[in-house]
Amino acid sequence: MSHNLQSAVLMLLLSGKGWIFEDESGTLQEVFSLTEKLFDKPNKHLSTSERDLICTMIEAIGKRKSGNARYKVLEGKSKGGWSTGHEALKKWFQKQKVSNHIGQRIDEVYNNLGVSPMQLINEGLEEGEEFPNILDSERAKEDILLAIAGDHALEHVPCGDFRDAITAINHHAWECHRKRFRRAKDGLPTKKLAAAVAVKEIEDADEVTAQQLREVTKAVKALSMTVGWFPEEQDKLGEYEEFLKEVVVVAVAEVRKVAKEKVTVKTDNTPGRKCGAQRARKVKTGSLIAASDVEEIWALYVQLFETEPGQLEAPQDEEDIENSGRAAWLDNSKDLGMDGWHKMDNDKLNHLL
């Protein structure tokens, strides 16, 4: 039975209360901002009445004889109803940003141990597998427990509610990666086409404008945030990145009157990147952007290449990050090249794909 993350977190704290709060690492304070008194003492996110509601719910949980019965109180499936307690707990959970704290710490463990879903996909899956099995994360469980419950978490062998809670928390973290993968897969065709169109427009342009370079940079950046899940697409991304690098570097070098080598970013010499460099040579340097646009384009370019190519860290899902700036980015990115697509016939579009 799968439990929601909020319930699993409270059950972890309740079932481990007798030993985890001896933590000296500061983990429990940073992640939960709680002591062993839990909600019996003032909390910066809750009023006194809200804390009382949670404490009353916790008291009811303590009277239940089985794990299932305890979760029924936590998840609104017990007679009597605890909706006000649930709302107060939800408020603390969201204000404290518990999900973000836990997710970041678990992802760090995954990456350090080489078991993040993206790493496993890039290493190669079993035939017929699209996404790694959660069993691949089993060897990370102890490290995950230490990362979110502090340095005393393993003083007792995980069992009962404590074991079930950490299993549920790990499951939620794994499923977040699956959700990101599915979104990336759904968005991949559109992002591939947008990047292909933007690159082709610059390649064929008699005069390359600042707006074109803005659009191609955003399109290639969007594709790069998706392609990490798809190893077979990374060479094509490398081609677009190298094309963009060569075009922008030439523009900046000419305006700043410096050698091209002083402003370039070193990248791997892959077949795709070689092809991108060759395509960039077709762009006439005399048609490049004016000096007044260089600083803006250079800033976008540096942002694109701020991460080492091939670094296997899962891109954050914009919808999982509060105040991510996603809306502003979409507003400023126009149509990611959509306007250019309708001007092309089927033969050209098929060639791009």
Side-chain angles (χ1 to χ4, degrees), residues 108-116 119 137 139-141 143-144:
E108 185 176 352
V109 171
Y110 285 165
N111 288 323
N112 289 342
L113 295 180
V115 297
S116 77
Q119 288 171 318
S137 72
R139 67 186 179 90
K141 269 194 175 179
D143 291 80
I144 289 171

Side-chain angles (χ1 to χ4, degrees), residues 102-170:
I102 287 177
Q104 289 166 6
R105 286 169 174 267
I106 293 178
D107 283 353
E108 185 176 352
V109 171
Y110 285 165
N111 288 323
N112 289 342
L113 295 180
V115 297
S116 77
M118 182 178 283
Q119 288 171 318
L120 296 172
I121 286 173
N122 277 268
E123 288 172 7
L125 301 178
E126 296 291 331
E127 186 175 351
E129 262 191 327
E130 181 182 57
F131 192 82
N133 193 299
I134 193 171
L135 293 176
D136 291 321
S137 72
E138 278 297 310
R139 67 186 179 90
K141 269 194 175 179
E142 287 189 356
D143 291 80
I144 289 171
L145 192 50
L146 292 171
I148 65 174
D151 55 14
H152 282 258
L154 291 173
E155 282 198 358
H156 295 260
V157 176
C159 61
D161 287 343
F162 193 69
R163 179 198 59 218
D164 293 346
I166 193 61
T167 297
I169 290 168
N170 183 50

Side-chain angles (χ1 to χ4, degrees), residues 201-251:
E201 283 192 348
I202 287 179
E203 191 175 22
D204 293 343
D206 293 327
E207 181 178 349
V208 178
T209 67
Q211 180 62 26
Q212 284 176 315
L213 282 175
R214 279 193 289 270
E215 292 305 319
V216 73
T217 303
K218 289 173 181 175
V220 173
K221 179 69 173 179
L223 181 61
S224 73
M225 295 297 288
T226 295
V227 159
W229 291 106
F230 308 102
E232 68 280 4
E233 301 289 348
Q234 289 171 14
D235 200 46
K236 181 56 87 173
L237 172 65
E239 178 183 332
Y240 296 153
E241 287 183 338
E242 198 68 20
F243 174 88
L244 181 58
K245 183 186 82 169
E246 291 293 322
V247 171
V248 171
V249 162
V250 168

